[in-house]
Amino acid sequence: MKNGVYSLLKARFLINDDAVKNWRFIVFIILLAIIMIANTQRFEQKVFMIAELTNKVKELRSEFVDRRSELMKLKMESTVSEKMIEKEIFPSTVPPIKIKVKKEKEKNFLEKIWQ
């Protein structure tokens, strides 16, 4: 047992006659470790990017809500009338008149033309 641990610490398994098999296995494990580290790095970058984009979406959503409420205030009749008074445009004192077009007259007119 003592010789086994001692030979392991001195790395005799790397210089023995069948060391080529050991070196191949060690190189294979090192390549796997490098691939695993690279994969973890890419995963962490994506996680940070997702967190950053999530924060950006939250900011844009809050800005959208602010702009929408501001637009609603600007569209209110009282706000519009205040802006118009500043430009010396006053509301009409005469109510608007509806113009109604009767389709029967148009129909009769078209029938007379075609006859």
Side-chain angles (χ1 to χ4, degrees):
M1 178 86 171
K2 206 176 207 184
N3 285 337
V5 173
Y6 187 67
S7 68
L8 184 65
L9 290 175
K10 284 206 167 198
R12 287 194 180 146
F13 64 93
L14 296 176
I15 55 174
N16 286 346
D17 294 334
D18 59 347
V20 175
K21 286 191 268 181
N22 293 339
W23 277 105
R24 285 183 191 162
F25 184 69
I26 290 171
V27 169
F28 177 70
I29 289 178
I30 289 172
L31 285 174
L32 284 179
I34 290 172
I35 291 172
M36 187 178 79
I37 291 169
N39 233 1
T40 305
Q41 174 73 19
R42 289 180 66 202
F43 173 74
E44 287 178 357
Q45 285 177 347
K46 287 183 181 181
V47 167
F48 286 131
M49 186 185 301
I50 288 171
E52 182 181 329
L53 290 174
T54 303
N55 288 338
K56 196 170 188 179
V57 165
K58 286 179 183 178
E59 288 175 14
L60 288 173
R61 186 170 287 140
S62 65
E63 184 180 344
F64 166 72
V65 170
D66 290 342
R67 300 285 183 202
R68 186 173 57 184
S69 64
E70 186 177 323
L71 177 66
M72 292 301 286
K73 287 178 186 175
L74 289 173
K75 287 169 72 176
M76 290 174 59
E77 185 179 350
S78 60
T79 309
V80 171
S81 64
E82 285 176 13
K83 297 278 185 183
M84 298 309 275
I85 288 174
E86 289 175 7
K87 294 183 179 183
E88 296 182 3
I89 300 175
F90 303 104
S92 174
T93 56
V94 180
I97 301 172
K98 284 187 178 179
I99 300 175
K100 293 184 181 180
V101 177
K102 293 183 181 177
K103 292 189 178 186
E104 290 180 14
K105 288 184 179 179
E106 290 178 12
K107 215 177 203 183
N108 291 337
F109 179 73
L110 289 174
E111 285 177 359
K112 287 180 183 177
I113 292 177
W114 286 103
Q115 288 179 1

